[in-house]
Amino acid sequence: MQSVSTIGLDIAKSVFQVHGVDAAGQVVIRRQLKRRFVLSFFEKLPPCLVGIEACASSHHWSRELQALGHTVRLMPPAYVKPYVKRQKKDSTDAEAICEAVTRPNMRFVPTKTNEQQSCLMLHRVRHLFIRQQTAVINSIREYLAEFGIVAPVGRRGVEQLLEVVADPADRRVPEVARACLAALGGQLRVLKAQILEFDRRIIAWHRSNATSRRLDAIPGVGPALATALVASVADAGTFRSGRDFSAWVGLVPKQNSSGGKDKLGRISKQGDRYLRSLFTAGALAVIRYAKIHGTSHRPWLTALLARRPTKVAAIALANKLARMAWAMMARNEPYKEPAALTA
């Protein structure tokens, strides 16, 4: 027990699997642990390297084990998979984790703080409410269309449909259907109020964080994207460059190169889908503003829009915004206008 140097910990809801080796790589521990015994088990061990897959509850266990003096490394599950031997089971997974964490070229996930995870929860729950709101609106439109009642696309159109539902004198809607639609209308109002409340909480979190306020100065980056970046990227220094960061977000071309020939296709769409959608929305906002007020002050964007479709240009601009954001976070610097804009 005293000679353990590296442990692979396969976490779960109730039963955890431990695989420990000594400095020579010989197996010295292979056992299961109930959840309530995990911390007491690691309290008895001398400080060692602990590898965990970056999955549900991994950041919690990383913080707990670090508090006990252990060095914890979180790894993407996709990078651990190649080290799994033959059959898939908990003991094999723990052994693979123990092997992967010692690889010199392995990529690790920085442990997030409670504050970062709370902010990410704000974004995730708000995004869930927005999807539910869209589903409710589509249901109202669909059900009323069955009775020949339609309205224009947009917020005003939905309000017109709810006015029809609220009018008992309108005989086009049967009473049973009216009761169902009224319930959907009530749910829609609740969802809108909840989304508004979460927007206020995100703004408050944004104002309380210095890094988020700095990122807000980038064109196309607002409080939503700034707070999501600060919460998602625990340590910008883990990325070697802005290109590595944009590749993690999934905004770089997908490669299929061989034989010395570079073949680039569409963006890889790897990494964080939520961050990628926010970067793309911000880039589209910059392009829309430039088309209204002119693009003479952004020569790079002007030339790009002249030879590429708007959405292709938006992805390229989103890639550029991601690199700017990484540079500001990694170097702890404020936003600097390009020379072409200040001239």
Side-chain angles (χ1 to χ4, degrees), residues 282-302:
L284 286 170
V286 172
I287 291 175
R288 184 165 56 251
Y289 181 88
K291 286 184 175 180
I292 295 174
H293 299 278
T295 57
S296 58
H297 63 300
R298 298 185 184 277
W300 175 83
L301 183 58
T302 303

Side-chain angles (χ1 to χ4, degrees), residues 106-173:
M106 177 57 63
R107 296 179 181 178
F108 301 108
V109 179
T111 303
K112 291 183 176 62
T113 64
N114 285 329
E115 184 183 20
Q116 287 176 315
Q117 287 195 298
S118 299
C119 184
L120 274 181
M121 190 177 297
L122 271 178
H123 282 272
R124 295 294 185 263
V125 175
R126 175 182 177 274
H127 190 52
L128 174 62
F129 286 158
I130 290 176
R131 295 202 310 269
Q132 291 177 345
Q133 176 184 252
T134 303
V136 171
I137 290 174
N138 290 339
S139 297
I140 292 173
R141 288 183 176 276
E142 174 187 351
Y143 294 149
L144 282 173
E146 295 295 331
F147 302 107
I149 305 173
V150 296
V153 176
R155 181 182 303 175
R156 181 55 188 161
V158 178
E159 292 174 355
Q160 291 176 4
L161 293 177
L162 292 178
E163 289 173 2
V164 172
V165 173
D167 184 8
D170 194 326
R171 310 312 301 175
R172 292 177 296 175
V173 182

Side-chain angles (χ1 to χ4, degrees), residues 255-263:
Q255 294 195 30
N256 188 22
S257 305
S258 179
K261 296 181 179 179
D262 294 332
K263 297 180 181 179

Side-chain angles (χ1 to χ4, degrees), residues 246-284:
S246 60
W248 175 73
V249 178
L251 289 168
V252 299
K254 189 175 182 179
Q255 294 195 30
N256 188 22
S257 305
S258 179
K261 296 181 179 179
D262 294 332
K263 297 180 181 179
L264 303 180
R266 301 177 178 179
I267 58 173
S268 64
K269 293 188 178 181
Q270 297 177 349
D272 195 314
R273 178 183 298 179
Y274 182 67
L275 283 180
R276 186 168 59 253
S277 65
L278 291 178
F279 270 118
T280 304
L284 286 170

Side-chain angles (χ1 to χ4, degrees), residues 16-245:
F16 293 40
Q17 183 72 36
V18 176
H19 184 94
V21 298
D22 58 17
Q26 298 297 319
V27 180
V28 293
I29 301 175
R30 186 186 286 121
R31 59 172 295 185
Q32 286 185 343
L33 287 175
K34 294 290 186 180
R35 182 185 182 91
R36 61 182 180 274
F37 298 130
V38 172
L39 292 181
S40 60
F41 172 80
F42 280 96
E43 284 176 350
K44 300 175 183 177
L45 292 179
C48 58
L49 175 63
V50 181
I52 305 176
E53 286 184 329
C55 55
S57 74
S58 60
H59 291 274
H60 163 72
W61 289 112
S62 176
R63 292 191 295 266
E64 292 292 331
L65 296 182
Q66 286 178 359
L68 296 178
H70 299 285
T71 301
V72 183
R73 296 285 183 266
L74 304 182
M75 299 167 288
Y79 294 167
V80 178
K81 181 66 175 177
Y83 296 94
V84 176
K85 300 174 183 176
R86 292 220 179 242
Q87 304 296 333
K88 166 75 171 66
K89 56 182 181 179
D90 291 345
S91 59
T92 307
D93 289 345
E95 182 181 359
I97 294 170
C98 186
E99 175 69 20
V101 75
T102 61
R103 297 300 89 199
N105 294 327
M106 177 57 63
R107 296 179 181 178
F108 301 108
V109 179
T111 303
K112 291 183 176 62
T113 64
N114 285 329
E115 184 183 20
Q116 287 176 315
Q117 287 195 298
S118 299
C119 184
L120 274 181
M121 190 177 297
L122 271 178
H123 282 272
R124 295 294 185 263
V125 175
R126 175 182 177 274
H127 190 52
L128 174 62
F129 286 158
I130 290 176
R131 295 202 310 269
Q132 291 177 345
Q133 176 184 252
T134 303
V136 171
I137 290 174
N138 290 339
S139 297
I140 292 173
R141 288 183 176 276
E142 174 187 351
Y143 294 149
L144 282 173
E146 295 295 331
F147 302 107
I149 305 173
V150 296
V153 176
R155 181 182 303 175
R156 181 55 188 161
V158 178
E159 292 174 355
Q160 291 176 4
L161 293 177
L162 292 178
E163 289 173 2
V164 172
V165 173
D167 184 8
D170 194 326
R171 310 312 301 175
R172 292 177 296 175
V173 182
E175 289 305 317
V176 174
R178 190 185 303 278
C180 297
L181 291 166
L184 288 175
Q187 184 178 2
L188 180 59
R189 287 188 290 272
V190 171
L191 287 171
K192 287 183 176 180
Q194 289 174 328
I195 293 171
L196 182 60
E197 175 60 24
F198 275 78
D199 286 340
R200 291 170 179 162
R201 289 181 176 271
I202 289 175
I203 292 294
W205 199 93
H206 164 71
R207 291 172 177 170
S208 66
N209 188 277
T211 304
S212 182
R213 292 197 305 271
R214 284 202 314 272
L215 292 174
D216 192 20
I218 303 175
V221 176
L225 177 52
T227 53
L229 280 171
V230 174
S232 300
V233 183
D235 181 14
T238 56
F239 301 97
R240 293 177 298 179
S241 64
R243 196 222 180 259
D244 283 359
F245 175 69

